[in-house]
Amino acid sequence: MAGKSEKLLSILKLQPVVPVLIVDDAKSAVGLARALVAGGLRAIEITMRTPAALDAVKAVAEDVEGANVGAGTILNARDFDAAVKAGSTFIVSPGSTPGVLDAAKGSDVPLLPGAASASEVMALREAGFDVMKFFPAEQAGGAAFLKALSSPLAGTLFCPTGGISLKNARDYLSLPNVVCVGGSWVAPKEMVSAGDWAGITKLASEAFTLDK
């Protein structure tokens, strides 16, 4: 598990913000991913919330140089395996179940499992995970909650996601137990629909400098 944690951290540490994307049209995924990579955001999470999601992961994995594409909203072992076959370099789940954790243990592709309480963090640590998604971040207690966990649960690193924006991202990024944050603000739906890749690259560039 330690090797997979290192592999996951090498991806998450590429940038302070991991774009969390809902892709309605797989054809737009390549242009969108290229725009994000051009702005410095090379680790990209495509959520499995639309019929186009798996095709989008496959297209980005095959056609976007420099991108590390991951699949998010993975809810079961079947979806885990399908995302890996599509080319995902990391997997993200909103929580954890025995089925998802078993799939992760049997795969070389690292899992970023979700946790929203001290008990869930402890359970994941017992299962061998020390890098987790804190979700839904703002609704579950925000940066103040994560700061409170940093001492009793030292050695655990988080990627908070949910309700994070340009306005509050630095509150999280300043914490010692936060490696990066996840956010959708770098790829607004209207910009994606319009194919405004230059605008998205600008937003990505701003996000890339957040921890500077």
Side-chain angles (χ1 to χ4, degrees), residues 16-20 45 137 159-165 173 180-185:
V17 180
V18 175
V20 179
E45 176 189 338
C159 172
T161 304
I164 298 177
S165 67
L173 291 168
C180 62
V181 300
S184 58
W185 82 87

Side-chain angles (χ1 to χ4, degrees), residues 2-12 89-90 107-110:
K4 280 192 268 191
S5 288
E6 289 170 11
K7 188 186 292 188
L8 180 59
L9 282 173
S10 73
I11 295 170
L12 298 180
T89 59
F90 63 102
S107 173
D108 291 332
V109 176

Side-chain angles (χ1 to χ4, degrees), residues 22-159:
I22 297 174
V23 178
D24 293 312
D25 179 5
K27 292 177 183 174
S28 69
V30 169
L32 172 56
R34 283 178 177 154
L36 292 166
V37 170
L41 305 185
R42 292 187 286 150
I44 298 164
E45 176 189 338
I46 295 176
T47 59
M48 297 294 108
R49 300 184 195 181
T50 70
L54 276 177
D55 287 339
V57 168
K58 189 172 188 292
V60 173
E62 291 177 352
D63 298 330
V64 183
E65 189 175 347
N68 278 274
V69 61
T73 321
I74 295 299
L75 306 179
N76 52 57
R78 182 184 67 252
D79 291 348
F80 189 112
D81 293 340
V84 169
K85 285 176 184 172
S88 298
T89 59
F90 63 102
I91 300 291
V92 186
S93 61
S96 64
T97 65
V100 170
L101 296 183
D102 282 347
K105 285 172 186 171
S107 173
D108 291 332
V109 176
L111 169 68
L112 180 68
S117 70
S119 293
E120 290 174 8
V121 173
M122 289 169 65
L124 284 169
R125 284 181 56 139
E126 282 192 2
F129 294 87
D130 52 16
V131 185
M132 304 171 201
K133 170 178 175 171
F134 176 51
F135 176 82
E138 282 291 282
Q139 296 82 352
F145 181 84
L146 271 187
K147 185 177 181 180
L149 291 186
S150 62
S151 181
L153 294 171
T156 311
L157 293 173
F158 296 94
C159 172

Side-chain angles (χ1 to χ4, degrees), residues 15 33 39 71 99 114 116 134 138 156 167 192 206:
Q15 63 216 37
F134 176 51
E138 282 291 282
T156 311
K167 291 179 181 177
V192 176
E206 291 171 355

